[in-house]
């Protein structure tokens, strides 16, 4: 397995291009199942998760062709469709469950494997099942697979979710787009990736209003047509790279970034003493002098502080002046980076969903292990400011959500190398 070696190298400077959003693209690609006409996605990220979704869609009978060095995905689903999403692919990536809604809407039936356990939490699918059942689907679990059927097709309905789940909102949106009649989703997730999916579905002929708010109205249509859609910028990749100059000092511009996608995060950076500015071409971040101030963070659904930036923010707060408390309210097991940061000399106490970070002067490089996608990049960020060498192993986690991380950080002056598995 590859590992990444990082050496603290002082302030950073330059520009980092921000790619299209992984979590938007993983919802946009299954939308191709809703129509027999081509759907083209531009500004697509080049990541192993995108390749896994490509593999899954191909197993269902769709075609996905990566063009222009992978930045454009030409997708279509005009042939015979296989309604079974196999465990062997689904277990690699939870987002595979985003084919359930579109398959149900297109075929009236679907058989989708449950993804199984995940490092950061149990992550059941009950909210997805309740939402699609509200549209008239009968869903039962058999041999680890959800067997879903909508005799006579899906029917519009009013449904309130018990929690604003991102994935369940995306499955409901895609399913209701082809249901008979009007659907109203209450307590819907409001993430920018939901807005991007709704934009794409509208470009395909869907009638959707209210995306970005907690109440979405969908007027079902008989069929959807082809479209071309640019994937929104990746706000989590953006936040991650904004933390690099915040941790090391210096000034970096994240090209293509938009502050409005992560305002709550930018407010915390500002409170910590980091300057953040929207420019014509991106987001400029700088930290001139003095130590970072401690801040408290609570993760919440959008527009609250994103859970996908919690680990990276913890890396920053390890060397802050004072004590910070981070509360993780979305996933029940998302502090596995803490013991690894403590191997680098951080002073952290974890109690259930709370982590108390007592800022130390300096971190020291050490061999550490990545446990999940966001934890892996938090260790790289910590290594950028640590004394000596940090070796992060199991970086396959990282490649799921960050394209060319070494090149991007090297481009602003970081000392970082990938060591290929021998
Ligand atoms: C999406 O996951 C993202 N993944 C996650 O990013 C992100 O952390 C999460 O939203 C929250 O923002 C993708 O978009 C592919 P949820 P999703 O349904 O849709 C519970 C990353 O690092 N829940 O909003 O799976 C669930 O267990 C990844 O890029 C149920 O209990 O998130 C969790 O505690 C990690 N039952 C909470 O809700 C359900 O049926 C939020 O889950 C569904 C969810």
């Amino acid at each position: 397995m590859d590992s990444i070696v990082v050496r603290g190298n002082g302030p950073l400077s330059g520009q980092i291009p921000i790619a299209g959003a992984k979590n938007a693209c993983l919802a946009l690609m299954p939308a191709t199942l809703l129509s027999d006409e081509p759907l083209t996605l531009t500004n697509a990220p080049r990541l192993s998760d995108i390749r896994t979704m490509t593999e899954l869609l191909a197993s269902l009978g769709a075609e996905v062709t990566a063009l222009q060095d992978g930045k454009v995905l030409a997708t279509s689903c005009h042939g015979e469709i296989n309604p079974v999403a196999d465990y062997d692919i689904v277990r690699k990536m939870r987002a595979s469950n985003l084919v359930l809604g579109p398959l149900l809407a297109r075929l009236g039936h679907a058989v989708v494997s449950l993804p199984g356990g995940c490092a950061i939490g149990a992550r059941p699918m009950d909210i997805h099942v309740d939402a699609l059942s509200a549209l008239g689907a009968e869903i039962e679990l058999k041999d680890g697979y959800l067997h879903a059927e909508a005799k006579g097709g899906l029917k519009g309905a009013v449904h309130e979710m018990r929690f604003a789940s991102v994935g369940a909102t995306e499955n409901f949106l895609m399913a209701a787009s082809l249901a008979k009649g009007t659907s109203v989703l209450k307590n819907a997730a409001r993430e920018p990736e939901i807005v991007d999916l709704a934009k794409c579905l509208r470009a395909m002929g869907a009638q959707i209003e209210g995306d970005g708010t907690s109440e979405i109205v969908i007027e079902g249509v008989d069929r959807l047509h082809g479209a071309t859609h640019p994937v929104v910028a990746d706000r989590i990749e953006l936040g991650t790279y904004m933390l690099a100059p915040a941790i090391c000092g210096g000034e970096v511009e994240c090209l293509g970034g938009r502050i409005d996608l992560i305002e709550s995060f930018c407010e915390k950076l500002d409170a910590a003493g980091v300057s953040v500015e929207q420019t014509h071409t991106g987001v400029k971040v700088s930290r001139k002098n003095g130590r970072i101030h401690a801040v408290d963070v609570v993760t919440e659904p959008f527009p609250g502080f994103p859970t996908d930036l919690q680990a990276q923010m913890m890396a920053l707060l390890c060397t802050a002046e004072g004590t910070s408390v981070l509360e993780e309210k979305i996933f029940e097991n998302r502090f596995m980076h803490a013991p690894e940061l403590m191997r680098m000399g951080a002073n952290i106490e974890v109690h259930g969903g709370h982590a108390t970070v007592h800022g130390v002067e300096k971190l020291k490089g050490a061999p550490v292990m990545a446990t999940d996608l966001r934890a892996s990049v938090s260790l790289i960020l910590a290594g950028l400011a640590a004394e000596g060498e940090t070796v992060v192993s199991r970086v396959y986690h990282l490649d799921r959500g960050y394209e060319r991380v070494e090149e991007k950080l090297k481009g602003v002056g970081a000392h970082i190398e990938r060591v290929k598995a021998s």
Side-chain angles (χ1 to χ4, degrees):
M1 276 180 270
D2 293 6
S3 54
I4 286 186
V5 179
V6 192
R7 261 179 183 286
N9 188 38
L12 303 176
S13 74
Q15 298 179 317
I16 296 181
I18 299 301
K22 166 181 83 80
N23 290 346
C25 203
L26 289 175
L28 292 163
M29 292 170 76
T32 195
L33 297 166
L34 294 167
S35 171
D36 57 6
E37 292 184 25
L39 170 64
T40 304
L41 301 173
T42 60
N43 193 36
R46 288 143 317 167
L47 304 165
S48 60
D49 271 7
I50 301 300
R51 291 189 288 279
T52 305
M53 183 58 85
T54 299
E55 186 192 346
L56 175 62
L57 291 172
S59 76
L60 301 177
E63 283 157 32
V64 180
T65 313
L67 307 169
Q68 293 175 28
D69 187 24
K71 293 194 95 172
V72 173
L73 298 174
T75 77
S76 73
C77 190
H78 50 76
E80 195 178 332
I81 303 177
N82 160 23
V84 182
D86 198 85
Y87 175 63
D88 275 346
I89 304 177
V90 173
R91 68 184 169 78
K92 292 186 209 163
M93 180 185 68
R94 309 189 56 75
S96 306
N97 62 20
L98 295 172
V99 301
L100 179 59
L103 283 173
L104 252 182
R106 178 85 180 266
L107 301 175
H109 60 274
V111 179
V112 174
S113 170
L114 271 184
C118 167
I120 62 177
R123 303 181 76 178
M125 281 188 65
D126 60 307
I127 305 176
H128 298 246
V129 170
D130 292 351
L132 296 171
S133 304
L135 295 175
E138 282 163 30
I139 305 179
E140 66 171 320
L141 177 64
K142 256 189 302 185
D143 313 323
Y145 283 76
L146 289 175
H147 291 250
E149 182 141 25
K151 294 198 184 76
L154 296 169
K155 297 179 186 56
V158 177
H159 178 68
E160 175 145 10
M161 298 200 299
R162 73 169 174 80
F163 178 83
S165 153
V166 172
T169 301
E170 291 163 338
N171 257 326
F172 187 93
L173 264 188
M174 290 191 270
S177 295
L178 287 177
K180 283 197 185 35
T182 307
S183 301
V184 181
L185 185 62
K186 297 186 175 200
N187 195 24
R190 303 167 56 189
E191 274 68 4
E193 294 74 32
I194 305 274
V195 173
D196 204 43
L197 175 62
K199 249 192 206 157
C200 177
L201 292 170
R202 276 192 290 270
M204 296 171 75
Q207 296 185 19
I208 300 172
E209 281 174 17
D211 44 297
T213 76
S214 47
E215 185 155 318
I216 306 178
V217 180
I218 307 112
E219 198 59 54
V221 295
D222 294 340
R223 67 179 297 278
L224 293 173
H225 51 72
T228 296
H229 175 81
V231 180
V232 69
D234 194 320
R235 65 194 168 104
I236 306 301
E237 188 196 27
L238 169 63
T240 302
Y241 288 125
M242 287 168 70
L243 281 162
I247 286 181
C248 302
E251 181 173 283
V252 167
E253 184 183 13
C254 298
L255 298 175
R258 286 170 37 200
I259 285 182
D260 65 307
L261 298 174
I262 37 171
E263 264 163 23
S264 53
F265 168 75
C266 294
E267 282 156 19
K268 288 294 173 187
L269 278 194
D270 179 56
V274 179
S275 123
V276 175
E277 181 202 335
Q278 181 73 54
T279 65
H280 293 304
T281 43
V283 177
K284 194 181 280 180
V285 180
S286 59
R287 192 190 115 210
K288 296 279 182 291
N289 41 37
R291 281 179 71 185
I292 290 288
H293 314 316
V295 291
D296 294 342
V297 168
V298 180
T299 66
E300 286 169 314
F302 190 89
F305 190 99
T307 173
D308 295 346
L309 284 170
Q310 177 259 98
Q312 300 93 314
M313 192 70 183
M314 185 186 279
L316 174 74
L317 297 171
C318 286
T319 54
E321 197 146 27
T323 297
S324 312
V325 177
L326 293 99
E327 183 179 357
E328 175 55 59
K329 286 174 75 174
I330 306 292
F331 292 104
E332 60 273 26
N333 186 32
R334 203 170 202 182
F335 284 135
M336 290 196 293
H337 39 284
E340 299 300 317
L341 289 167
M342 288 156 82
R343 288 177 49 74
M344 299 175 72
N347 180 354
I348 307 169
E349 295 162 56
V350 175
H351 299 290
H354 289 81
T356 304
V357 183
H358 305 284
V360 297
E361 276 290 326
K362 195 93 180 131
L363 294 178
K364 296 198 175 41
V368 289
M369 192 158 65
T371 47
D372 63 77
L373 167 59
R374 307 304 173 183
S376 57
V377 82
S378 80
L379 301 175
I380 287 182
L381 289 174
L384 289 175
E387 262 165 23
E389 188 175 274
T390 298
V391 181
V392 184
S393 59
R394 298 189 177 190
V395 290
Y396 57 84
H397 289 291
L398 190 77
D399 297 333
R400 298 187 57 177
Y402 294 91
E403 59 172 50
R404 302 175 303 117
V405 65
E406 315 93 89
E407 277 167 48
K408 290 191 177 184
L409 286 171
K410 221 182 260 174
V412 292
H415 258 200
I416 181 167
E417 292 298 334
R418 179 180 292 249
V419 179
K420 285 264 170 223
S422 46

